[in-house]
Amino acid sequence: MSNVTMDKIVNLCKSRGIIFQGSEIYGGMGNTWDYGPVGVEIKNNIKRAWWKRFVQEDPSTYGVDAAILMNPRVWDASGHTQNFADPKMDCKSCKQRFRADNLIEDHSKGTVSAEAMTNEEMEKYISDNKINCPHCGNFNWTPIRQFKLMFETSRGTLDGEKDVVYLRPETCQGEYVNFLNIQRSMRAKVPFAIAQIGKSFRNEITPGNFIFRTIEFEQMELQKFCRDSESFSIYEDYKAKAKQFLVDLGFSEDHLKYHDHDKLAFYAKAACDIFYLFPMGWSELNGIHHRSTHDLSRHQEYSGKAMQYLDPVTNEKFIPTVIEYSIGADRLMLAVLTEAYNEEVLEGGDTRVVLKFHPAIAPYKVAILPLQKNINEKAIELYQKLSKKFMCIYDESGSIGKRYRRQDEIGVPYSVTIDFDTLENDTVTIRDRDTMEQIRIPMSEVESYIEQRIQFN
Ligand code: ATP
């Protein structure tokens, strides 16, 4: 992450087809972003790596893809209709709206947590530390007011009749309401988890540090249903697994830290976030929560269905405790881009920007670069073969140096050049993105050479 700033990441994302402002030609729409051809590959690879690690490799975890629109009673049971609100403050000078807790945390670069503060304490902190409006620089705040975070829409089955429904603000309710379905259909034994990757929507107040905080985002999360007696060891286990996943993706441990919550929800028994050193400072990347039996108990109360598990050995019936592990795919994308971003001064004095992703995350695994246009037949042949296995890029325009730079900027781990020797002896050169070293190998070995190096284990 050498010399990285948010501006550099945003500019690179725009110029290299990674992420664009949402609805840009209409002046944009605040806090929405569109993933471009390169970005969608990176994000899909992030989701694949997560699913592989937490679902595919764990026989006691079952995947679901639940509906975004749910029976509104779900949100009564979860408490969202009553309580899901943020403390907002408006700047009276420029009319921008902010979250009071974020103002404090951003101002202190993540060293002060506003989690446990009351509204009065937050107002006092903002006034004592003279935190000015980040937009216009004035100190002219309204008092704190609560701001509802759920997006409402309506569903009408008859003309004129409309019922309020909500865009889900979190994916996990899709797992809770399917607890019985999955336990029975899959004959699942406690402890088992239900996992999901899907979109959530929150009417967030604070303009959000690029894709760090958006109003529409994807969550990758799982709910582990267990006996209370084993719940703390499972909680610790997920804290370790969540961090290991990031380290295996190539994150430096120096850029990650655990942050135990100062204040717990009344039902929670423990909660911990993993913070990452984003360009704007230390901020939450993911959360691991011990939620006791709260969620299933509430659904039992509101649905009238017994959300219990019958232990096949002891015949004991109980409502399982839930351990939740949740990470935003977009927030992880920002962290991955930050961690991978490097500026390196080359021998001739030029600087190269290179995204040193884990190869499994890289948008394209290989670039195929014919040195001359008139030898592109072999190159096209290689592209056609390799693109059946993984994403490849074909680039025949510009000097080879410029073409390498373009691949470095989007993190393509290998570049293959086809030259006149290829026509004679069917060998090609492979250049490594990180070391820039080149080796010559038979063209027939390129596929296995790359395949061996792009796995996420
Ligand atoms: P924050 O305190 O940053 O608002 P949170 O504690 O409300 O987050 P959770 O509800 O626990 O977050 O959601 C789990 C994860 O989903 C977060 O750790 C984060 O990675 C991601 N996430 C939450 N809200 C957003 C958002 N508005 N935009 C992007 N990602 C989000």
Side-chain angles (χ1 to χ4, degrees):
M1 59 178 326
S2 68
N3 299 325
V4 65
T5 63
M6 194 67 97
D7 279 349
K8 287 182 185 178
I9 289 189
V10 174
N11 290 336
L12 182 74
C13 283
K14 184 172 163 109
S15 64
R16 288 286 170 253
I18 302 175
I19 298 169
F20 310 115
Q21 167 76 66
S23 319
E24 190 177 338
I25 59 167
Y26 288 95
M29 154 110 180
N31 274 9
T32 65
W33 299 94
D34 295 342
Y35 285 73
V38 178
V40 72
E41 296 301 330
I42 301 171
K43 191 173 172 192
N44 282 343
N45 291 336
I46 288 175
K47 290 191 281 185
R48 266 188 216 116
W50 188 88
W51 196 263
K52 176 171 187 285
R53 174 63 56 89
F54 290 99
V55 183
Q56 183 180 325
E57 294 176 9
D58 183 345
S60 67
T61 299
Y62 302 89
V64 288
D65 183 9
I68 288 175
L69 300 175
M70 302 182 83
N71 186 315
R73 291 281 288 160
V74 168
W75 307 112
D76 294 336
S78 68
H80 282 80
T81 26
Q82 302 88 336
N83 304 322
F84 196 47
D86 271 344
K88 71 159 185 179
M89 286 178 101
D90 291 311
C91 170
K92 289 191 264 180
S93 302
C94 69
K95 313 287 179 235
Q96 291 283 317
R97 180 162 287 176
F98 295 89
R99 252 172 78 173
D101 54 337
N102 290 156
L103 284 174
I104 294 171
E105 284 161 5
D106 289 351
H107 177 263
S108 68
K109 297 227 173 323
T111 56
V112 174
S113 164
E115 231 164 49
M117 292 187 188
T118 62
N119 285 356
E120 292 69 36
E121 285 164 346
M122 284 193 272
E123 278 173 358
K124 182 166 179 335
Y125 185 96
I126 287 167
S127 147
D128 289 352
N129 290 276
K130 197 128 194 356
I131 303 180
N132 293 329
C133 170
H135 186 247
C136 72
N138 287 317
F139 186 88
N140 193 12
W141 297 113
T142 61
I144 292 176
R145 278 169 294 188
Q146 291 304 108
F147 182 84
K148 285 206 165 181
L149 292 179
M150 278 212 290
F151 280 108
E152 283 182 18
T153 182
S154 57
R155 177 170 194 271
T157 40
L158 290 174
D159 257 3
E161 246 182 48
K162 293 258 189 285
D163 289 326
V164 170
V165 287
Y166 300 98
L167 297 187
R168 67 179 176 201
E170 58 182 25
T171 45
C172 57
Q173 299 301 330
E175 283 109 286
Y176 302 144
V177 300
N178 279 297
F179 167 73
L180 294 175
N181 281 337
I182 287 164
Q183 194 275 315
R184 287 173 189 158
S185 62
M186 307 308 287
R187 291 178 294 122
K189 301 228 167 16
V190 161
F192 72 91
I194 307 180
Q196 174 162 217
I197 299 180
K199 286 231 168 171
S200 293
F201 304 82
R202 294 185 191 173
N203 198 1
E204 297 273 10
I205 309 165
T206 314
N209 282 319
F210 194 31
I211 51 169
F212 178 82
R213 186 180 304 288
T214 48
I215 55 179
E216 172 183 342
F217 56 97
E218 268 182 292
Q219 289 185 302
M220 310 189 287
E221 48 88 27
L222 60 84
Q223 311 295 316
K224 186 109 180 181
F225 301 94
C226 59
R227 292 172 183 81
D228 202 46
S229 56
E230 61 196 351
S231 59
F232 277 96
S233 82
I234 289 176
Y235 172 74
E236 290 302 328
D237 192 36
Y238 273 105
K239 271 172 71 173
K241 281 182 173 157
K243 185 163 176 204
Q244 192 58 47
F245 172 64
L246 297 169
V247 170
D248 292 344
L249 276 183
F251 282 81
S252 155
E253 296 213 32
D254 294 342
H255 303 153
L256 299 169
K257 66 179 181 191
Y258 288 118
H259 167 82
D260 289 313
H261 285 209
D262 304 328
K263 188 172 123 189
L264 293 177
F266 71 92
Y267 53 79
K269 293 208 180 145
C272 176
D273 297 330
I274 294 180
F275 272 37
Y276 173 66
L277 188 54
F278 285 96
M280 68 283 184
W282 287 102
S283 302
E284 174 181 334
L285 176 55
N286 70 11
I288 303 106
H289 304 135
H290 185 309
R291 301 184 55 87
S292 71
T293 55
H294 174 74
D295 306 286
L296 292 185
S297 303
R298 291 281 288 192
H299 284 301
Q300 174 164 293
E301 187 187 333
Y302 278 71
S303 69
K305 298 277 179 316
M307 303 297 277
Q308 288 177 326
Y309 175 73
L310 174 65
D311 190 311
V313 179
T314 63
N315 267 339
E316 185 199 355
K317 258 190 181 172
F318 61 94
I319 297 181
T321 289
V322 167
I323 304 299
E324 171 183 70
Y325 156 48
S326 175
I327 179 162
D330 310 86
R331 207 173 274 190
L332 179 54
M333 172 102 176
L334 178 60
V336 161
L337 289 167
T338 306
E339 192 68 9
Y341 187 95
N342 278 281
E343 283 175 12
E344 291 176 357
V345 180
L346 302 175
E347 267 173 24
D350 284 355
T351 302
R352 75 162 181 155
V353 170
V354 53
L355 293 182
K356 291 188 170 174
F357 293 128
H358 187 300
I361 297 302
Y364 305 93
K365 307 307 175 195
V366 60
I368 295 159
L369 315 172
L371 272 193
Q372 314 270 330
K373 279 198 180 150
N374 57 2
I375 54 169
N376 60 9
E377 233 171 71
K378 282 259 172 210
I380 290 170
E381 192 187 303
L382 186 64
Y383 175 85
Q384 282 168 344
K385 180 176 171 209
L386 297 185
S387 61
K388 291 195 191 306
K389 294 293 166 99
F390 34 75
M391 289 298 292
C392 309
I393 199 161
Y394 182 87
D395 187 358
E396 56 179 24
S397 63
S399 73
I400 190 68
K402 282 207 178 111
R403 281 188 268 170
Y404 283 148
R405 284 302 88 77
R406 284 204 287 268
Q407 308 316 321
D408 291 343
E409 286 187 359
I410 56 170
V412 180
Y414 301 103
S415 294
V416 171
T417 43
I418 314 287
D419 54 24
F420 287 108
D421 287 347
T422 314
L423 303 183
E424 281 174 16
N425 59 16
D426 263 340
T427 61
V428 295
T429 57
I430 294 203
R431 170 189 182 265
D432 182 290
R433 171 197 69 197
D434 298 346
T435 62
M436 294 189 284
E437 273 165 20
Q438 301 187 16
I439 56 165
R440 199 152 190 110
I441 62 169
M443 201 159 117
S444 58
E445 288 175 17
V446 174
E447 182 179 324
S448 62
Y449 181 94
I450 292 171
E451 245 170 5
Q452 282 161 22
R453 289 165 174 79
I454 59 174
Q455 304 305 329
F456 177 67
N457 289 314

